[in-house]
Amino acid sequence: MVILGLCVAMSPFTYVLTLPSVFFSFRGLSASNHRNREDSWFKSLFVRKVDPRKDAHSHLLTKNEESNLYKIQFHNVKPECLDAYNQLCEETLPSIHNDKYYPCELVGTWNTWYGEQDQAVHMWRYRGGYPALTEVMSKLRQNKEFMKYREERGKMLLSRRNQLLLEFSFWNEPIPRKGPNIYELRSYQLRPGTMIEWGNYWARAIGYRQHNSEAVGGFFSQIGNLYMVHHLWAYKDLEAREATRNAAWQHEGWDEVVYYTVPLIQHMDSRIMIPMKASPLQ
């Protein structure tokens, strides 16, 4: 007689000996299936399921397809040239900002107070995106005063770098504000592939940080250091900064946002900045 592919004799003695082997075969098969299910469940904890997308992440995070384009510039100035550099910027940058011939606006211009020393930070907005940026750059190359400014500026710098940014849809658009204020630029280098997660958490978190009008703008990089996020905040002074940041922990849900966003960060940096006289953000 054949049972489940095993030959079983018909004598009671042989049947008793063979039955445990069939039982153990079932038990072994059951244990194997159980282990496979456990392994599959365990592996699922570490495998990120990616939904197929038909659009770039930038389109999911910005207000619309024609969002403003921003350029942020970091200029490391020779210490002995900082005053002359600031004066040169104050004489030149407002003329570009106020001239409607150039489709761009100076959002803010600062010197670092705490963070990298002898550094200037400038932020420009190009309404119309990349075509506006291209138009401005083309026109400035024909501007003799601007080219002279660049030549003089180059003599005062140790190094410079820039990034092109888009703004998060859930942040305020930076608008001029009266001072005096100090500004904090918090920069986060995220792990590749986590920008959507960051945006999802901060779309909720920004509501906890609006009570003192401290939120100025939130941006993410498109060209330059990628997966870089910049949050710009304004405070009356360092004491107000501390009080405002501590108050955020009193809101239910803020601790959860911090808990889930910290693992997304590879590196973070903070600059406390003082606006130059020509800055629309004072």
Side-chain angles (χ1 to χ4, degrees):
M1 179 179 181
V2 176
I3 302 177
L4 297 178
L6 297 175
C7 183
V8 180
M10 294 305 294
S11 68
F13 180 74
T14 307
Y15 182 80
V16 172
L17 290 177
T18 308
L19 182 60
S21 66
V22 176
F23 171 74
F24 286 127
S25 296
F26 276 117
R27 187 172 65 178
L29 181 61
S30 175
S32 176
N33 288 340
H34 181 67
R35 283 195 300 271
N36 288 340
R37 285 197 299 271
E38 283 187 340
D39 290 344
S40 178
W41 175 83
F42 185 73
K43 289 177 181 177
S44 70
L45 295 177
F46 300 94
V47 177
R48 182 186 301 275
K49 295 182 179 179
V50 179
D51 295 328
R53 298 190 180 277
K54 303 295 185 181
D55 208 350
H57 286 176
S58 59
H59 290 172
L60 302 175
L61 294 167
T62 53
K63 292 181 174 66
N64 52 61
E65 291 185 358
E66 299 196 6
S67 293
N68 298 321
L69 182 68
Y70 292 81
K71 178 170 68 176
I72 190 167
Q73 300 170 300
F74 300 94
H75 291 174
N76 293 314
V77 185
K78 296 176 182 178
E80 66 275 14
C81 297
L82 187 59
D83 290 340
Y85 172 90
N86 288 344
Q87 183 177 350
L88 183 65
C89 290
E90 289 165 4
E91 292 172 352
T92 307
L93 301 187
S95 64
I96 300 172
H97 170 74
N98 295 322
D99 193 337
K100 301 302 180 183
Y101 179 67
Y102 302 102
C104 65
E105 305 162 18
L106 181 63
V107 175
T109 179
W110 305 268
N111 288 130
T112 56
W113 184 21
Y114 292 103
E116 290 192 57
Q117 298 293 285
D118 304 312
Q119 185 182 72
V121 180
H122 311 289
M123 179 175 284
W124 294 87
R125 175 167 48 222
Y126 301 87
R127 296 194 183 274
Y130 290 106
L133 172 66
T134 301
E135 180 182 348
V136 171
M137 294 297 100
S138 177
K139 289 180 176 179
L140 286 178
R141 282 193 290 269
Q142 308 303 318
N143 185 326
K144 293 182 180 180
E145 291 185 4
F146 178 78
M147 297 307 293
K148 182 178 180 182
Y149 153 78
R150 286 196 60 177
E151 182 180 354
E152 291 299 316
R153 185 190 69 183
K155 300 174 184 177
M156 304 177 185
L157 298 183
L158 293 171
S159 64
R160 60 191 178 100
R161 61 186 177 90
N162 59 25
Q163 293 176 347
L164 294 181
L165 315 170
L166 295 177
E167 58 188 338
F168 285 109
S169 60
F170 46 84
W171 272 78
N172 308 326
E173 180 177 308
I175 58 174
R177 64 171 66 195
K178 297 180 180 179
N181 295 294
I182 63 171
Y183 290 82
E184 181 176 19
L185 182 66
R186 296 178 70 86
S187 302
Y188 305 90
Q189 179 68 61
L190 303 186
R191 292 191 293 108
T194 61
M195 187 66 72
I196 293 293
E197 291 179 67
W198 180 273
N200 287 338
Y201 284 115
W202 267 96
R204 180 160 52 98
I206 193 62
Y208 306 135
R209 298 296 310 273
Q210 298 277 18
H211 301 287
N212 295 321
S213 301
E214 68 267 28
V216 178
F219 315 90
F220 60 97
S221 61
Q222 285 290 282
I223 297 179
N225 291 349
L226 298 179
Y227 289 99
M228 177 71 74
V229 169
H230 298 288
H231 291 175
L232 184 60
W233 309 92
Y235 306 100
K236 292 299 180 183
D237 49 39
L238 290 175
E239 290 78 10
R241 172 187 177 273
E242 182 179 20
T244 300
R245 289 176 55 81
N246 288 339
W249 290 95
Q250 306 306 314
H251 297 288
E252 184 178 355
W254 176 253
D255 56 341
E256 181 181 347
V257 170
V258 173
Y259 178 84
Y260 284 109
T261 55
V262 165
L264 308 181
I265 302 170
Q266 285 186 332
H267 174 75
M268 58 188 296
D269 191 30
S270 171
R271 292 175 176 81
I272 301 297
M273 308 183 301
I274 304 297
M276 294 187 193
K277 293 178 182 178
S279 179
L281 287 170
Q282 285 295 315

